[in-house]
Amino acid sequence: MTRLRLLLAALVLALATTTVAQHAMPPKYEVRAVWLTTIKGLDWPHAYTPHQQKAELCHILDQLQAANINTILLQTRVRGTTIYPSAYEPFDVALTGANAQTMGYDPLQYAIEQCHKRGMEIHAWMVTLPIGQASLRGYKHLRNTVPHLIKRIGEDWYLNPEQPATATYLATLASEIVEHYDVDGIHLDYIRYPETWRNASSSTPQQRRNNITAIVRAIHHAVKKRKPWVKVSCSPVGKYADLPRYSSGGWNARNAVAQDAQQWLAEGIMDQLYPMMYFRNNQFFPFALDWQENAARRTVVPGLGIYFMHPSEGRWTLHDITRQLVFLRQEHMGFAFFRSKFFTDNTKGLYHYVAHRHTPYPALTPPMTWQQSTPPAPPTNVRLKPVLQTNTTCLAWQPAHANDDNVRYNIYASPTLPVDINDVRHLIAIRVAATTLTLPENTQRTPLHYAVTTIDRYGNESLPTPCTNTATNVGNAIPLITTDGKTLPLPKAALTNNRQRLIIADITGKSLHQVDITHEVKALNIRALPEGVYQLYTRTPDNRRKCVALFTVRRIKR
């Protein structure tokens, strides 16, 4: 989590009443996910050089972090190909280009490091059965290595779910990822029969369900044997089965494609479901309730078809998605967007709505209490230390048990004591791996009080340990200006007798506008800025930027 992102989280403490004036307070626990697709480079960076790929991926993750997304479903196995150096399958061409066989770096490892740096979970999304057409790299490789496991249906090839060895093969791939990478989940996609398979098989519907369940069971056992805290999830067809009052129209998980997903929850071989609920109105709401009512105390996170808002895909409006978001929150369900690029591109204003109105604060993912429910021990010796060399303050603590690599830390800040860790507005950093955190300059006239909790890999959180001292201002305080959404009154630090260049930047420090002014100018026009929190910089004599103010843009409709 960047310093400026942390600063934003602390600043919203003073803005809570206006930020969520039209919404209930967001929950502390909620899965907020996106599918980040690598096939054909749909969401993944299009560049083929490691430097460019890394830079573009970091930009995508910065955007998602700024909107408080906490779960990345990264397409790791594509069509018999991977985005990491696998002992079993080749690299996917979307990462390497048509001819290259290696990347020169490990994209999966880099993505994990960058997600964890931002407090995000990352789940390895595996496309399980489809291989694609015979011209593709994945098919050519599997034809040579496991020809007995592949079967052609129509124009495409698949791993054959009716071969028992298919379960073993996919479990081996999942084991490879879990053993070598610090992923937070294994996410299974297309873990189902193709809808055309029924015409090419003599098996009964129940036999087909048993075959798919056997694959799920094998993957679950392989993952949990190595790292029991890694979540196993899948993305079933959006409707489980027909409901008494609503028909699925013949397209449902259980009967059409042999996904007995609710039974997987009941058996305990799935920790989460991300049903692909790319529907509206009565094709969405009652079926979402059906998933939640049969969740067996696991986590159900409906996938929302935000791609239908794009003009080339459909005619959905922003209201279609916001209705679903509000409903899912009322029912204590998270959300997952398909796909990430439609979100970060702010299709029909969705990104701005989510970032500023629906998820203005961070959230933790729900703990896996069915796997392990004992909270970890809290940290000790939480204290603040000024770092004079860098004009910053460092929050430091000690772990309850030395050399415990399987815990992370959540940091809370509040202007009052005691620090209420149940108030999501106080949560300023999540899943921090280190035992120190550099805080931004204190922008509040009232000192903040801090507390730190331990969180284990299952999501269980300890009691808070309060900070033993209170921060004092380091250097001069930066004023926070609340505007009317139209003009920005300039602070004294931005007014000089000479020509002055002012820079307006977003919360990540990215420059948005540069304005040359004279001392006669007392305010700036900010009507074009979307709602949010911004920074105002000046240029120092040695041509460096200096932050002289933070300001908010709020336009509350009455």
Side-chain angles (χ1 to χ4, degrees):
M1 179 169 290
T2 64
R3 290 180 58 200
L4 292 175
R5 182 69 186 87
L6 176 61
L7 178 58
L8 171 64
L11 288 173
V12 296
L13 298 175
L15 305 173
T17 55
T18 55
T19 302
V20 295
Q22 302 178 49
H23 297 266
M25 189 63 65
K28 178 178 175 178
Y29 293 96
E30 184 174 64
V31 176
R32 303 164 178 177
V34 297
W35 278 283
L36 203 158
T37 309
T38 57
I39 189 171
K40 299 181 180 179
L42 292 176
D43 300 318
W44 183 262
H46 287 178
Y48 290 137
T49 66
H51 176 74
Q52 290 175 301
Q53 276 192 9
K54 290 178 179 180
E56 290 182 33
L57 178 62
C58 285
H59 176 65
I60 293 169
L61 296 179
D62 283 342
Q63 290 178 285
L64 297 172
Q65 181 196 13
N68 289 313
I69 297 299
N70 58 23
T71 303
I72 307 299
L73 307 172
L74 176 63
Q75 193 171 30
T76 301
R77 182 180 190 254
V78 187
R79 293 289 190 277
T81 53
T82 67
I83 69 165
Y84 66 94
S86 170
Y88 304 97
E89 296 182 340
F91 263 114
D92 189 75
V93 295
L95 275 75
T96 62
N99 299 316
Q101 299 298 316
T102 62
M103 275 302 301
Y105 82 110
D106 188 334
L108 178 58
Q109 180 60 36
Y110 186 76
I112 292 169
E113 293 169 358
Q114 293 304 312
C115 285
H116 286 174
K117 178 181 177 181
R118 292 162 175 78
M120 298 171 171
E121 290 189 7
I122 179 169
H123 297 207
W125 162 14
M126 296 176 58
V127 177
T128 54
L129 297 179
I131 300 168
Q133 296 187 354
S135 60
L136 299 180
R137 179 183 293 180
Y139 164 78
K140 293 177 181 178
H141 177 80
L142 294 178
R143 180 191 61 194
N144 293 327
T145 56
V146 287
H148 59 292
L149 295 185
I150 60 177
K151 182 179 178 67
R152 181 175 178 177
I153 299 295
E155 296 298 320
D156 293 324
W157 288 81
Y158 297 83
L159 286 173
N160 189 344
E162 298 182 350
Q163 287 285 348
T166 293
T168 303
Y169 180 76
L170 289 172
T172 300
L173 291 177
S175 296
E176 179 183 47
I177 296 171
V178 171
E179 183 175 350
H180 296 292
Y181 295 94
D182 188 21
V183 294
D184 301 287
I186 292 292
H187 178 68
L188 308 178
D189 190 16
Y190 282 95
I191 187 72
R192 57 182 172 90
Y193 273 71
E195 54 271 28
T196 55
W197 194 289
R198 287 175 292 183
N199 299 325
S201 173
S202 60
S203 59
T204 67
Q206 187 57 52
Q207 288 172 333
R208 289 193 287 270
R209 285 191 288 270
N210 291 344
N211 291 334
I212 299 298
T213 297
I215 298 173
V216 173
R217 194 178 291 123
I219 293 172
H220 173 270
H221 292 343
V223 168
K224 298 298 182 178
K225 178 181 179 180
R226 285 159 179 80
K227 294 177 182 177
W229 59 82
V230 172
K231 298 170 183 173
V232 177
S233 68
C234 74
S235 51
V237 168
K239 304 167 187 176
Y240 175 65
D242 289 339
L243 300 178
R245 294 181 58 190
Y246 298 95
S247 169
S248 65
W251 180 242
N252 60 61
R254 186 179 189 275
N255 299 316
V257 293
Q259 290 178 311
D260 208 351
Q262 290 184 0
Q263 178 57 37
W264 301 341
L265 292 175
E267 184 181 333
I269 55 176
M270 277 286 166
D271 299 303
Q272 295 179 322
L273 292 184
Y274 293 79
M276 300 181 293
M277 302 200 66
Y278 309 152
F279 314 104
R280 291 185 292 183
N281 304 323
N282 284 341
Q283 292 299 300
F284 177 87
F285 298 108
F287 292 96
L289 282 176
D290 178 61
W291 285 115
Q292 182 69 334
E293 290 172 355
N294 293 279
R297 302 179 67 183
R298 266 54 172 182
T299 306
V300 176
V301 186
L304 306 186
I306 63 173
Y307 64 95
F308 280 122
M309 293 196 299
H310 193 275
S312 65
E313 299 286 348
R315 297 183 179 180
W316 287 24
T317 66
L318 177 62
H319 183 62
D320 288 320
I321 299 298
T322 59
R323 284 182 66 205
Q324 295 179 352
L325 288 170
V326 172
F327 172 82
L328 294 176
R329 178 163 289 171
Q330 291 173 344
E331 298 301 324
H332 309 290
M333 305 169 78
F335 62 86
F337 289 144
F338 186 80
R339 308 181 329 262
S340 68
K341 192 174 189 301
F342 292 102
F343 179 56
T344 54
D345 282 352
N346 194 32
T347 305
K348 293 187 178 177
L350 177 64
Y351 181 91
H352 286 160
Y353 171 86
V354 171
H356 299 306
R357 297 180 64 184
H358 195 70
T359 61
Y361 311 111
L364 304 175
T365 57
M368 299 169 62
T369 53
W370 54 89
Q371 192 81 49
Q372 207 276 98
S373 60
T374 303
T380 63
N381 195 22
V382 180
R383 62 208 182 279
L384 284 162
K385 302 185 300 183
V387 183
L388 299 180
Q389 296 90 334
T390 57
N391 202 35
T392 58
T393 300
C394 176
L395 182 67
W397 58 91
Q398 293 178 346
H401 305 290
N403 302 319
D404 189 350
D405 295 331
N406 281 324
V407 297
R408 302 291 185 266
Y409 302 95
N410 299 324
I411 292 84
Y412 298 82
S414 170
T416 60
L417 285 173
V419 178
D420 182 3
I421 68 170
N422 295 313
D423 189 331
V424 69
R425 294 171 296 179
H426 298 164
L427 184 58
I428 64 171
I430 61 175
R431 291 168 50 88
V432 175
T435 55
T436 61
L437 186 72
T438 299
L439 301 172
E441 294 178 79
N442 190 354
T443 61
Q444 305 203 21
R445 303 297 181 180
T446 303
L448 291 173
H449 305 277
Y450 294 90
V452 181
T453 64
T454 306
I455 186 170
D456 65 20
R457 296 303 297 266
Y458 301 93
N460 300 298
E461 188 177 30
S462 74
L463 294 172
T465 300
C467 185
T468 56
N469 58 346
T470 302
T472 56
N473 286 339
V474 180
N476 296 324
I478 301 175
L480 171 64
I481 303 171
T482 302
T483 72
D484 60 1
K486 301 176 183 178
T487 58
L488 169 65
L490 294 180
K492 291 182 179 180
L495 300 174
T496 68
N497 293 326
N498 303 314
R499 188 175 181 84
Q500 174 76 293
R501 170 162 289 187
L502 298 181
I503 302 168
I504 295 176
D506 64 13
I507 59 173
T508 69
K510 179 182 178 182
S511 295
L512 302 176
H513 301 287
Q514 297 191 27
V515 183
D516 291 324
I517 67 167
T518 61
H519 65 281
E520 289 85 6
V521 177
K522 304 298 183 182
L524 296 181
N525 185 335
I526 57 171
R527 293 173 184 268
L529 291 178
E531 291 190 356
V533 177
Y534 297 88
Q535 304 172 82
L536 181 67
Y537 287 90
T538 62
R539 286 289 184 186
T540 61
D542 57 355
N543 204 33
R544 290 188 301 171
R545 298 195 313 178
K546 179 182 179 181
C547 185
V548 296
L550 294 129
F551 65 94
T552 66
V553 177
R554 293 285 182 268
R555 302 182 182 94
I556 303 298
K557 296 181 180 180
R558 301 185 183 279

